[in-house]
């Protein structure tokens, strides 16, 4: 039987190491045993994790870093993308937020660039989306006493409405007289349809006549076309007009020969027409679809195979939707906002009508329910070229952090080499290197970087300017680190382990970089961490001043530079607020992390 008074055998160092590393054994270590195993790295980690402010900063920075590194794999950046119809859209996902009071009683829906207007079966007008992009599209600017509305049409920046008495109303932008209804049109009593296009308006009467007013220089239309009195439907591109005659022919209503005039022959009897911004389409009585015009890579001309007969067409900005005889919906064309990806809920219902425009789609079921798909909006808004700010913020963050990281690597390598050599060898080597440090330190950083970027940047490509930015920041940022490394090396070189290394014949460069520098690595890590934030701010400053990474490649700096305008600052706050917040949080978090590392590595610094 074991004697309880027998002293327990002291655990060996390797036994304690095994327990601490792999968790072998369930017995908790005593204070003395834990202190015996406490190494410098573990001490640093313990000190750092006990600093709540620094840990918060590190976690926030790692979250931002993960988003900007992983995000671009899911949010692809197209540097050539611009869309004038989506300029300066405010943040929000309400472009297809249909009012609940409209459900089950929608009589007509028309889609504009960032807003939708609809009319109920009782003639009441509804509007939703970003109607304040142009203030005149706000409901408070709608003409009063319009009576019961039966037809509405949303243009690029103006709206047309037709009441049950055949009287038309127009409001919105009138810079091209697209809202200035001619007297002869106002006197008509047989208007059956109104069409609002890009800076133009068209009226269709029951006897097949069309009337055009607005920008006739940008839109190819002939008032005296040969088909007056025969038209039953009109469709408009961004610069041309297509008509459907009573006898089932798709006809061009312009006066110039262009891609639109090449109307396909032998289409048979056409039952419906539609037009995107640059193409025209028709479907015949057999359900066959034809597309012509200025075909591009957006895919309007890539007509898919249909399982059943198409009986109607509708169009968006660069895509078409069709409805089949069995109440299903098909779509094709440009799919940047998933506007051609018809949801399963749509095709599992009986669809009786589809309304399409720009990037939104509305399908009405046989029960009156409204189903939607396409562009809901922009979480952080869009910029002056219609680009998604969230997309550019994530991709720009990746670029800003990459530039900052590579610049820090360059400056750290230069600073460590010059500081280590200068501090260890001393004498003339130290004097010469320190004069070089003083020369570089004496250069006015921002002016010098701006001059160098201006002199070399104009002859370089976009990618070359990015590399130039990294090199400039790296070459001008190292003097402070070299001085710190030199001071630490001067202290370390007098210690016994250096003397012992010299005594056994270790080469001097090996002593500097293999024996001394590992002992001053803490200073290097802390300084490099703080320099990372400095490089990011410097890149942002240079880009903000117009001397950094050129557009369209986004960085946080040039995103702020593009917002450097009093009109933008006052009216389009989302273009600079989100970028400023993310950049500020990121830099503050890096600085908090660096301060926490310094305190964890050198606890005495907290007593100073």
């Amino acid at each position: 039987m074991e004697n309880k008074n027998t002293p327990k055998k002291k655990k060996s160092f390797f036994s304690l190491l095994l327990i601490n590393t792999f968790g072998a054994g369930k017995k908790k270590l005593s204070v003395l045993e834990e202190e015996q195993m406490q190494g410098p790295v573990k001490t640093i980690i313990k000190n750092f994790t006990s600093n709540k402010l620094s840990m918060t900063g590190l976690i926030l920075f790692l979250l931002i870093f993960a988003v900007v590194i992983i995000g671009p794999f899911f949010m692809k950046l197209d540097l050539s993308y611009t869309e004038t119809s989506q300029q300066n859209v405010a943040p929000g996902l309400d472009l297809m937020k249909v009012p609940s009071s409209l459900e089950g009683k929608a009589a007509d829906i028309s889609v504009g660039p960032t807003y939708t207007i609809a009319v109920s079966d009782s003639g009441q007008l509804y509007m939703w989306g970003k109607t304040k992009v142009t203030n005149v599209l706000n409901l408070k600017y709608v003409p009063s006493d319009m009576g019961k509305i039966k037809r509405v049409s949303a243009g690029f920046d103006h709206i047309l409405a037709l009441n049950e008495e055949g009287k038309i109303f127009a409001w919105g932008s009138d810079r091209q007289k697209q809202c200035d209804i001619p007297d002869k049109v106002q006197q008509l009593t047989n208007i059956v349809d109104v069409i609002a296009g890009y800076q133009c308006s068209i009226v269709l009467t029951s006897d097949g006549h069309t009337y055009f007013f607005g920008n006739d220089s940008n839109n190819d239309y002939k008032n005296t076309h040969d088909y007056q009195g025969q038209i039953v439907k009109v469709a408009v591109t961004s610069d041309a007009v297509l008509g459907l005659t009573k006898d089932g022919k798709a006809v061009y209503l312009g006066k110039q020969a262009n891609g639109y005039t090449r109307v396909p022959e032998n289409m048979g009897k056409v039952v419906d027409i539609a037009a995107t911004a640059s193409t025209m389409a028709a479907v015949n009585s057999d359900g066959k679809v034809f597309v012509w015009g200025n075909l591009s890579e957006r895919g309007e001309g890539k007509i898919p195979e249909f399982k059943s007969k198409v009986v109607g067409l509708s169009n968006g900005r660069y895509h078409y939707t069709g409805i089949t005889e069995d109440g299903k919906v098909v779509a094709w064309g440009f799919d940047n906002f998933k506007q051609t990806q018809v949801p399963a809920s749509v095709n599992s219902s009986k669809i009786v009508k589809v309304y399409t425009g720009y990037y939104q789609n509305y399908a009405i079921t046989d029960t009156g329910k409204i189903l939607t798909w396409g562009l809901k909006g922009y979480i952080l808004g869009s910029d002056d070229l219609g680009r998604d700010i969230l997309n550019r913020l994530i991709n720009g963050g990746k670029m800003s952090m990459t530039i900052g990281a590579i610049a820090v690597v360059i400056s750290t390598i230069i600073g460590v080499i010059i500081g280590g050599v200068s501090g260890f060898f001393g004498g003339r080597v130290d004097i010469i290197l320190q004069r070089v440090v003083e020369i570089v330190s004496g250069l006015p950083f921002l002016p010098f970087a701006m001059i160098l970027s201006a002199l070399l940047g104009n002859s370089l490509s976009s990618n070359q300017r990015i590399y130039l930015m990294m090199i400039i920041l790296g070459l001008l940022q190292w003097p402070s680190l070299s001085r710190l490394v030199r001071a630490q090396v001067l202290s370390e070189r007098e210690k016994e382990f250096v003397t012992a290394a010299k005594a056994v014949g270790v080469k001097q460069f090996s002593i500097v970089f293999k024996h001394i520098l590992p002992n001053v690595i803490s200073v290097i890590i802390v300084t490099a961490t703080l320099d990372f934030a400095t490089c990011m701010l410097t890149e942002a400053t240079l880009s903000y001043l117009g001397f950094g990474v050129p557009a369209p490649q986004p960085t946080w700096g040039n995103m702020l530079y593009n917002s450097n305008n009093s009109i933008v600052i006052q009216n389009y706050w989302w273009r600079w607020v989100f970028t400023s917040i993310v950049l500020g949080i990121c830099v503050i978090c890096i600085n908090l992390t660096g301060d926490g590392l310094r305190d964890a590595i050198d606890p005495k610094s907290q007593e100073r």
Side-chain angles (χ1 to χ4, degrees):
M1 184 175 180
E2 185 179 358
N3 189 352
K4 296 183 179 179
N5 296 324
T6 304
K8 294 182 179 180
K9 185 178 180 181
K10 185 178 179 181
K11 292 184 174 62
S12 67
F13 173 80
F14 293 104
S15 176
L16 291 172
L17 178 63
L18 182 65
I19 293 172
N20 193 55
T21 304
F22 299 102
K26 297 183 180 180
K27 184 179 179 181
K28 186 177 179 180
L29 297 177
S30 67
V31 175
L32 294 177
E33 290 173 337
E34 187 174 355
E35 184 177 351
Q36 182 182 350
M37 286 300 301
Q38 188 91 343
V41 175
K42 189 172 182 179
T43 302
I44 292 171
I45 294 174
K46 184 177 180 181
N47 290 339
F48 182 81
T49 53
S50 64
N51 188 332
K52 295 182 179 179
L53 192 61
S54 297
M55 279 299 296
T56 302
L58 177 62
I59 292 170
L60 283 176
F61 170 73
L62 290 177
L63 286 174
I64 295 173
F65 181 79
V67 169
V68 301
I69 295 300
I70 299 173
F73 291 102
F74 301 96
M75 302 184 72
K76 301 296 182 181
L77 178 66
D78 183 2
L79 296 178
S80 63
Y81 176 80
T82 60
E83 180 49 76
T84 55
S85 68
Q86 302 298 307
Q87 291 176 334
N88 298 319
V89 181
L93 299 175
D94 55 352
L95 297 189
M96 292 190 297
K97 192 175 182 180
V98 182
S100 57
S101 58
L102 183 63
E103 289 283 353
K105 54 182 180 179
D108 192 23
I109 298 175
S110 185
V111 185
T114 58
Y115 68 95
T116 303
I117 187 166
V119 60
S120 67
D121 50 16
S122 62
Q124 184 179 353
L125 204 63
Y126 292 83
M127 185 182 291
W128 61 91
K130 300 301 179 184
T131 58
K132 292 184 180 180
V133 175
T134 304
N135 285 333
V136 290
L137 294 179
N138 196 293
L139 281 174
K140 68 181 181 180
Y141 293 94
V142 177
S144 58
D145 301 325
M146 289 192 296
K148 185 177 179 180
I149 303 298
K150 67 175 184 179
R151 286 282 294 148
V152 288
S153 181
F156 184 82
D157 53 7
H158 79 290
I159 297 171
L160 298 178
L162 176 68
N163 68 12
E164 61 181 359
E165 298 174 357
K167 187 177 180 180
I168 67 171
F169 301 86
W171 67 96
S173 175
D174 194 33
R175 61 183 180 273
Q176 295 294 337
K177 305 298 182 182
Q178 62 265 41
C179 292
D180 188 7
I181 305 171
D183 292 337
K184 65 178 181 180
V185 174
Q186 290 180 335
Q187 295 172 4
L188 295 173
T189 58
N190 59 342
I191 299 174
V192 294
D193 200 4
V194 288
I195 300 93
Y198 178 70
Q199 299 181 346
C200 70
S201 301
I202 300 175
V203 172
L204 176 64
T205 62
S206 58
D207 59 0
H209 285 80
T210 58
Y211 297 86
F212 178 100
F213 52 98
N215 187 352
D216 55 2
S217 60
N218 183 69
N219 294 274
D220 184 29
Y221 175 82
K222 186 178 180 181
N223 276 310
T224 58
H225 60 79
D226 299 332
Y227 304 98
Q228 288 287 13
Q230 305 177 46
I231 305 299
V232 294
K233 186 175 181 179
V234 172
V236 295
T237 68
S238 60
D239 56 1
V241 183
L242 176 68
L244 175 62
T245 64
K246 295 177 182 179
D247 56 355
K249 292 182 179 179
V251 293
Y252 183 64
L253 304 183
K255 52 192 173 184
Q256 299 177 2
N258 50 43
Y260 303 124
T261 60
R262 295 193 291 268
V263 180
E265 299 178 355
N266 303 321
M267 285 195 293
K269 185 177 181 180
V270 175
V271 296
D272 201 5
I273 58 172
T276 63
S278 57
T279 66
M280 296 176 173
V283 57
N284 64 16
S285 56
D286 296 327
K288 186 176 181 181
V289 177
F290 302 83
V291 178
W292 69 97
N294 300 318
L295 299 175
S296 63
E297 296 180 355
R298 294 189 178 95
E300 295 105 309
K302 298 178 181 178
I303 305 169
E305 294 290 336
F306 307 120
K307 294 182 179 179
S308 57
K309 182 179 175 181
V310 176
V311 295
L313 286 179
S314 186
N315 60 272
R317 178 73 165 169
Y318 299 113
H319 78 287
Y320 289 103
T321 58
I323 184 169
T324 63
E325 59 183 356
D326 56 354
K328 304 301 180 183
V329 178
V330 293
W332 69 96
F334 202 31
D335 193 42
N336 56 329
F337 296 116
K338 298 183 179 180
Q339 61 268 36
T340 65
Q341 299 181 24
V342 182
S345 59
V346 173
N347 279 331
S348 62
S349 306
K350 177 72 173 179
I351 305 301
V352 296
K353 185 66 176 178
V354 175
Y355 299 97
T356 301
Y358 284 84
Y359 299 108
Q360 289 81 35
N361 302 274
Y362 298 87
I364 311 296
T365 68
D366 55 352
T367 60
K369 186 178 180 181
I370 303 175
L371 304 176
T372 64
W373 71 98
L375 175 61
K376 294 181 179 179
Y378 304 90
I379 296 176
L380 302 184
S382 65
D383 64 8
D384 58 328
L385 296 178
R387 300 171 298 193
D388 187 0
I389 287 179
L390 177 61
N391 185 307
R392 292 181 64 78
L393 191 66
I394 291 175
N395 285 276
K398 180 180 180 181
M399 180 56 64
S400 292
M401 287 193 180
T402 301
I403 291 174
I406 294 179
V408 165
V409 170
I410 294 173
S411 65
T412 301
I413 292 173
I414 297 174
V416 167
I417 292 174
I418 292 181
V421 172
S422 179
F424 182 79
F425 290 98
R428 291 183 178 179
V429 174
D430 184 31
I431 293 173
I432 294 171
L433 291 178
Q434 288 310 300
R435 299 299 77 77
V436 173
V437 171
E438 290 171 0
I439 291 171
V440 177
S441 299
L443 294 174
F445 184 84
L446 279 177
F448 184 80
M450 290 165 61
I451 292 170
L452 190 60
S453 178
L455 290 175
L456 300 177
N458 294 332
S459 60
L460 302 177
S461 65
S462 178
N463 287 334
Q464 289 173 333
R465 286 198 66 173
I466 294 172
Y467 300 143
L468 175 65
M469 179 61 57
M470 297 175 183
I471 294 171
I472 289 175
L473 292 175
L475 292 179
L476 299 180
Q477 198 74 30
W478 57 267
S480 60
L481 176 61
S482 71
R483 287 198 180 100
L484 287 173
V485 173
R486 174 180 176 272
Q488 293 293 319
V489 171
L490 283 172
S491 174
E492 293 291 325
R493 74 176 186 178
E494 304 300 331
K495 294 184 178 179
E496 290 81 359
F497 73 90
V498 176
T499 304
K502 290 179 179 178
V504 297
V506 178
K507 294 181 180 179
Q508 291 183 324
F509 276 95
S510 294
I511 294 174
V512 176
F513 295 107
K514 290 185 178 181
H515 297 276
I516 295 179
L517 282 183
N519 288 287
V520 300
I521 194 68
S522 59
V523 175
I524 297 172
I525 292 173
V526 172
T527 305
T529 303
L530 297 174
D531 283 348
F532 181 34
T534 303
C535 286
M536 286 184 62
L537 277 177
T538 305
E539 180 278 323
T541 302
L542 290 171
S543 295
Y544 177 75
L545 295 173
F547 295 93
V549 178
Q553 177 65 55
T555 67
W556 289 343
N558 65 23
M559 288 177 70
L560 291 174
Y561 172 70
N562 292 332
S563 304
N564 185 16
N565 183 294
S566 60
I567 296 176
V568 172
I569 292 172
Q570 293 176 16
N571 297 288
Y572 309 122
W573 56 268
W574 56 89
R575 286 178 50 185
W576 59 272
V577 165
F578 296 117
T579 308
S580 303
I581 290 174
V582 173
L583 177 60
I585 291 175
C586 193
V587 171
I588 290 171
C589 289
I590 295 172
N591 285 329
L592 289 175
T593 303
D595 289 340
L597 280 173
R598 180 182 59 202
D599 295 340
I601 292 170
D602 183 13
K604 293 182 180 179
S605 63
Q606 302 179 39
E607 302 172 2
R608 295 171 189 158

